[in-house]
Amino acid sequence: MSRYYPHSAYAEDQPFARTILITHVETRAITTGTIVGTGVFAAREALQKLRKIAPSDTFKASRPQLYLRAAGLGTLGAVAFVSIGLVPRMWGREDIEWQDRSWRLLENKGQVETDDWTYAGIAAGLAATVILKRPVNWVAAVGYVGAGSTAGMLGYLSWRHGVHRGKFRESE
């Protein structure tokens, strides 16, 4: 999505600076929260296997549903945490500081490409939610979106750093 924002020649002329920066921060929170939620899910599963504890009967669901719930809760927690953290971080900043940060995000080819892959993953997660019609609740739907975001980021890392060894062509 960052590819579609207008990008000025100079940072002080950058339009939509607050929108660009807030969108960037929240998008990264979705991916980070899903990774944290996945880690919590994996740790819980590993502890249950090591201690040979049967899953509790209070919340009966399949493993994919439990994963989506963990990913959704991680995503929601990260978005809330980052939203709250962005306010004191940018409180009282001049417009030029917002514009400079936003301009640097749009100027960075790797960041724009990361955004492209991440948003494609989010769209795939939304599509999976609609097509599969499996989420038990809205938290699982958020888990699908977060899982798509993380898959998009991993796709970017494989493409740029695996296939292209982190290099951009001179014409890009």
Side-chain angles (χ1 to χ4, degrees):
M1 186 162 164
S2 59
R3 178 176 306 278
Y4 300 112
Y5 285 119
H7 182 51
S8 64
Y10 301 101
E12 56 270 12
D13 298 330
Q14 181 61 52
F16 307 115
R18 292 174 191 264
T19 303
I20 292 168
L21 191 60
I22 291 169
T23 303
H24 167 76
V25 169
E26 297 299 339
T27 303
R28 298 290 80 80
I30 292 169
T31 307
T32 303
T34 303
I35 292 170
V36 169
T38 300
V40 169
F41 172 76
R44 181 174 176 238
E45 289 289 311
L47 284 174
Q48 283 181 347
K49 289 211 186 284
L50 287 173
R51 293 184 177 173
K52 298 181 177 135
I53 299 172
S56 69
D57 290 339
T58 57
F59 188 74
K60 289 188 178 185
S62 65
R63 278 205 170 88
Q65 287 298 321
L66 291 174
Y67 164 72
L68 290 171
R69 183 173 181 268
L73 289 173
T75 298
L76 292 170
V79 167
F81 181 76
V82 166
S83 297
I84 293 168
L86 183 63
V87 173
R89 176 75 177 126
M90 295 303 290
W91 190 268
R93 302 284 178 158
E94 299 292 325
D95 282 341
I96 187 64
E97 294 177 86
W98 286 85
Q99 290 169 320
D100 181 59
R101 284 175 168 84
S102 299
W103 185 86
R104 285 187 283 139
L105 284 171
L106 297 179
E107 189 69 17
N108 185 327
K109 293 177 192 172
Q111 187 60 59
V112 171
E113 191 173 38
T114 301
D115 288 346
D116 291 345
W117 282 81
T118 302
Y119 291 125
I122 288 172
L126 282 171
T129 303
V130 172
I131 292 168
L132 297 176
K133 298 179 185 175
R134 287 190 188 159
V136 178
N137 55 30
W138 64 273
V139 175
V142 172
Y144 269 111
V145 170
S149 169
T150 303
M153 182 207 53
L154 292 173
Y156 159 74
L157 290 173
S158 299
W159 174 253
R160 177 55 51 202
H161 298 285
V163 175
H164 293 286
R165 305 215 186 272
K167 306 278 190 230
F168 286 93
R169 290 184 301 190
E170 293 299 319
S171 62
E172 290 185 281

